[in-house]
Amino acid sequence: PGDWVEHAQTLAAFRKKLMHFAAISGESFPDQREAGWSLPEKVTHSWEKMKENVANHIKSLNWGYKNALRDAKVKYFNSLASFLDPHTILLKGEPDTKVTANVVVIAVGGRPNYESIKGAKEYAISSDDLFWLEKSPGKTLVVGASYVALECAGFLSHIGCDTTLMVRSIFLRGYDQDMATRIGIHMEKHGMKMYKEAVPLELSKKPNGKINVHYKQGKAGAEKEADDEFDTVLLAIGRKPVTADLHLENAGLKVLPNGKIEVSSYEQTEVENIYAIGDVVQGKPELTPVAIKAGRLLAKRLLGESEETMDYTNVASTVYTPLEYGFCGLSEEDALKTFGKENISVYHSAFMPLEWTLLEGREEYECYTKLLIKKDDDKIVGYHQLGQNAGEGTQEYAVAMQCGITKKQWDKTVGIHPTCSEEMIGLRETKETNPSAKKTGC
């Protein structure tokens, strides 16, 4: 449902990355002065200019996608679809239309979850809405500890918005908690205000136009209630699959309580002619590149061009917090649980990028990297890096992990000096030998 502009890749990933770039560009102005550049004392940011440029880029991409569909002679219906039976789809419109297909692929993705917070639907926005705001959100409360919450809070803070992050429990649930904790510490050290162990109870509009947030904070049994006011409240507390209105029961397809769909290794549902890919699939990474690759492989199988299936192991990704977090493979928690503490070595290093040595206010060991090694065969089962442009290096290391690289093979590589990626090569210290990860020599 919705216009082509709601394509997940363009709406979410591209806009988010471009705004992340805008934020770190602004952060670099003091750094430029330390590197010898003369700049005005006061540098301002225009939300309107940023939004216009980002929107223009997205429009150009959407135009290209539409042309590609037309050139491929694909029929595009801008309609809300639902099943009448396994082969018949009702398209809501003026008038309603019925279409039939031998094969149906469900790839509807998800939408923000507002839970049961009173006033949330009336007065809060989601990350989807944030990218469309015509003016700066001003004083903003970001609710949540997901990667979307941390990314949005990070770039809002760094373009000059008075930003507060409200976190119920831990950062980045389901991610490596060592890395998640380091991200939270870094953001707080660099000016992010946080309400920890806090949840919003009610949102309401005040006479001055501000949004009043009534919340509780504290450990269970000792919570205290309080109020604060903001120009904007952004909820990033998860997403839910858009399956409720598909009437999948008409096709004989069962949906899990969380709204997701079980599929086989061929992305096939329990109904033979119906397949599902992307965020609606149970137990798969909710990442745009994963959905795209799964879709391409599915198309090739359906056309008889290949039998290759999607490999969901060692899927690399990056969290675009102000200090980026790139990773591939298992978290430390999952590695220890899967293989046992006695069979995992955690090699790590805390470091400072060379560029930061010119700058004031940068801490020496804020960047961090680690490898998780399975002792019995020396295989690398987890890669994690927190630092500048971590996503760029992570992509290359993921290729090596797909090939089953060992620590010995990894260390045969000659590092490129001086780079952050070089820190990954030849790691010697483990958490057992050097818990702090601080380097004691070359």
Side-chain angles (χ1 to χ4, degrees), residues 106 253 261-264 267-272 274-276:
I106 300 171
L253 184 57
I261 301 169
E262 291 274 14
V263 299
S264 70
E267 280 73 50
Q268 191 173 34
T269 70
E270 60 184 334
V271 180
E272 186 178 15
I274 301 178
Y275 297 79

Side-chain angles (χ1 to χ4, degrees), residues 127-166:
S127 59
D128 292 351
D129 305 314
L130 175 65
F131 301 130
W132 292 102
L133 293 180
E134 293 295 335
K135 63 178 183 178
S136 171
K139 183 182 178 183
T140 303
L141 174 68
V142 178
V143 181
S146 65
Y147 74 90
V148 173
L150 298 185
E151 289 174 337
C152 290
F155 71 66
L156 287 174
S157 176
H158 281 71
I159 63 173
C161 294
D162 182 356
T163 308
T164 301
L165 186 64
M166 181 175 284

Side-chain angles (χ1 to χ4, degrees), residues 90-395:
L90 175 66
L91 303 175
K92 296 292 290 183
E94 297 181 358
D96 292 350
T97 306
K98 294 179 184 179
V99 296
T100 59
N102 292 328
V103 173
V104 180
V105 180
I106 300 171
V108 294
R111 290 291 182 269
N113 180 22
Y114 289 92
E115 288 192 342
S116 56
I117 302 168
K118 189 175 180 181
K121 289 187 177 180
E122 293 83 0
Y123 304 117
I125 66 171
S126 70
S127 59
D128 292 351
D129 305 314
L130 175 65
F131 301 130
W132 292 102
L133 293 180
E134 293 295 335
K135 63 178 183 178
S136 171
K139 183 182 178 183
T140 303
L141 174 68
V142 178
V143 181
S146 65
Y147 74 90
V148 173
L150 298 185
E151 289 174 337
C152 290
F155 71 66
L156 287 174
S157 176
H158 281 71
I159 63 173
C161 294
D162 182 356
T163 308
T164 301
L165 186 64
M166 181 175 284
V167 181
R168 181 181 61 185
S169 55
I170 61 174
F171 297 108
L172 296 175
R173 186 177 300 278
Y175 290 69
D176 187 291
Q177 283 304 293
D178 176 16
M179 306 303 287
T181 300
R182 291 173 185 273
I183 291 170
I185 291 172
H186 176 267
M187 292 178 71
E188 199 164 16
K189 279 184 177 178
H190 289 266
M192 180 67 65
K193 291 181 286 186
M194 295 189 184
Y195 288 157
K196 297 180 180 178
E197 296 183 328
V199 292
L201 299 175
E202 182 179 358
L203 309 184
S204 59
K205 185 66 74 72
K206 302 186 74 172
N208 63 3
K210 305 281 187 180
I211 299 171
N212 185 77
V213 179
H214 183 63
Y215 65 96
K216 66 178 180 180
Q217 185 175 22
K219 296 188 181 299
E223 303 102 324
K224 293 184 179 180
E225 296 188 12
D227 293 86
D228 201 349
E229 67 175 38
F230 299 88
D231 298 308
T232 304
V233 176
L234 189 158
L235 295 185
I237 50 179
R239 300 172 75 87
K240 56 184 178 181
V242 190
T243 53
D245 295 326
L246 295 181
H247 297 300
L248 297 174
E249 67 278 3
N250 292 340
L253 184 57
K254 296 185 182 70
V255 180
L256 297 172
N258 61 4
K260 295 203 171 193
I261 301 169
E262 291 274 14
V263 299
S264 70
S265 59
Y266 291 90
E267 280 73 50
Q268 191 173 34
T269 70
E270 60 184 334
V271 180
E272 186 178 15
N273 72 298
I274 301 178
Y275 297 79
I277 59 173
D279 292 4
V280 296
V281 176
Q282 174 66 16
K284 307 303 181 191
E286 296 184 6
L287 299 167
T288 297
V290 169
I292 292 173
K293 189 169 185 65
R296 286 175 176 165
L297 292 173
L298 174 58
K300 288 184 176 182
R301 293 197 303 273
L302 293 174
L303 293 171
E305 296 179 2
S306 170
E307 288 298 318
E308 183 182 357
T309 58
M310 177 68 185
D311 182 359
Y312 289 98
T313 60
N314 290 332
V315 172
S317 189
T318 296
V319 179
Y320 290 104
T321 38
L323 199 57
E324 294 180 12
Y325 168 37
F327 59 93
C328 182
L330 299 177
S331 67
E332 186 174 340
E333 291 85 356
D334 285 344
L336 296 176
K337 182 179 178 181
T338 302
F339 302 110
K341 184 176 180 180
E342 70 284 354
N343 198 29
I344 290 292
S345 289
V346 182
Y347 287 84
H348 66 164
S349 174
F351 63 96
M352 174 186 249
L354 177 65
E355 297 88 337
W356 287 10
T357 60
L358 292 177
L359 314 175
E360 294 182 358
R362 300 286 190 173
E363 294 194 14
E364 188 173 358
Y365 296 110
E366 281 193 301
C367 296
Y368 177 79
T369 188
K370 71 178 176 181
L371 289 178
L372 311 177
I373 311 300
K374 191 152 72 77
K375 292 180 182 179
D376 58 6
D377 58 10
D378 200 41
K379 287 280 183 70
I380 298 176
V381 297
Y383 159 97
H384 301 268
Q385 180 148 353
L386 183 65
Q388 294 177 308
N389 301 310
E392 302 299 334
T394 300
Q395 186 69 79

Side-chain angles (χ1 to χ4, degrees), residues 396-411:
E396 283 71 39
Y397 289 128
V399 175
M401 290 185 63
Q402 280 287 355
C403 296
I405 193 168
T406 64
K407 177 70 160 56
K408 183 177 181 180
Q409 291 169 327
W410 189 282
D411 290 344

